[in-house]
Amino acid sequence: MSRRLGLALVVSVALVSGAVGAVAAPPGGGVALGGAVFAAPASTRTEVAGKVIFIADGDTVHVRDALGSRVKVRVLGINSPEDRNPQLPAQCWGPEATQFARTTLLNKQVTVVSDPTQDAFDRYGRVLGYVYLADGSNYSVLAARAGAARTYVFHRRPVTEYPAIAAAEAEARAAGRGLWGACPA
């Protein structure tokens, strides 16, 4: 069976079984998640399991899904300092935030979960989702608690997990952890 036919079969089974909502393509067309398991409707919550295979920075990771596709994920609810722009110097605590992501996520099994309040993809075609570790912990909360990221609200639409992420950030600020102890305000 061809890969394309196999992917169509997987998507069809998932849609019939109710495992996912309507299929959404990333901006610019194409197929997301090797056949699409992320839904666009804001009323549904979708997820995909996989292994983190690359850390771009503290809030962007690549996950290999069950179909073998590489999925670029922009983690919801946080923004970490940048350290990968070759035309700019790394931001304060950028390399440490990236290292925190590597230590916490690289080569780990995770579940990427969408948020019904947010779009399925960002303007760069990355899947927007929370990254949950096998023990159920939310990476957004862990990164905020470690001072490796700040809370992030896109277009005045806070994510569902915003209260937990904001509480974790407040804890890190109070303790002077991570970027809160190292970077100018």
Side-chain angles (χ1 to χ4, degrees):
M1 176 182 324
S2 75
R3 180 168 168 81
R4 181 164 286 203
L5 181 58
L7 293 174
L9 179 61
V10 168
V11 171
S12 299
V13 170
L15 289 172
V16 170
S17 70
V20 297
V23 174
V31 177
L33 298 178
V37 275
F38 268 84
S43 62
T44 60
R45 193 170 139 129
T46 58
E47 59 184 65
V48 64
K51 181 180 180 180
V52 176
I53 59 170
F54 178 73
I55 304 296
D57 60 27
D59 57 33
T60 305
V61 301
H62 296 194
V63 175
R64 176 89 52 215
D65 71 8
L67 298 174
S69 298
R70 184 182 196 123
V71 181
K72 294 178 184 175
V73 179
R74 173 57 170 87
V75 181
L76 284 174
I78 61 170
N79 190 30
S80 68
E82 303 296 328
D83 76 333
R84 288 218 173 246
N85 187 337
Q87 291 145 354
L88 298 171
Q91 292 178 331
C92 182
W93 234 73
E96 293 86 351
T98 301
Q99 185 56 46
F100 177 82
R102 276 191 195 104
T103 301
T104 307
L105 298 173
L106 191 59
N107 296 317
K108 304 269 176 64
Q109 289 298 123
V110 299
T111 303
V112 178
V113 179
S114 67
D115 187 314
T117 68
Q118 306 298 307
D119 293 332
F121 302 93
D122 70 4
R123 65 184 176 167
Y124 303 109
R126 297 176 296 187
V127 169
L128 296 173
Y130 301 111
V131 176
Y132 288 96
L133 292 142
D135 67 2
S137 56
N138 180 339
Y139 173 73
S140 299
V141 173
L142 297 175
R145 185 172 291 125
R150 296 172 174 87
T151 56
Y152 181 68
V153 176
F154 184 71
H155 285 284
R156 295 186 299 261
R157 288 187 339 213
V159 295
T160 304
E161 295 290 328
Y162 178 82
I165 299 166
E169 178 186 300
E171 181 185 318
R173 275 183 191 240
R177 236 181 328 229
L179 66 94
W180 304 112
C183 304

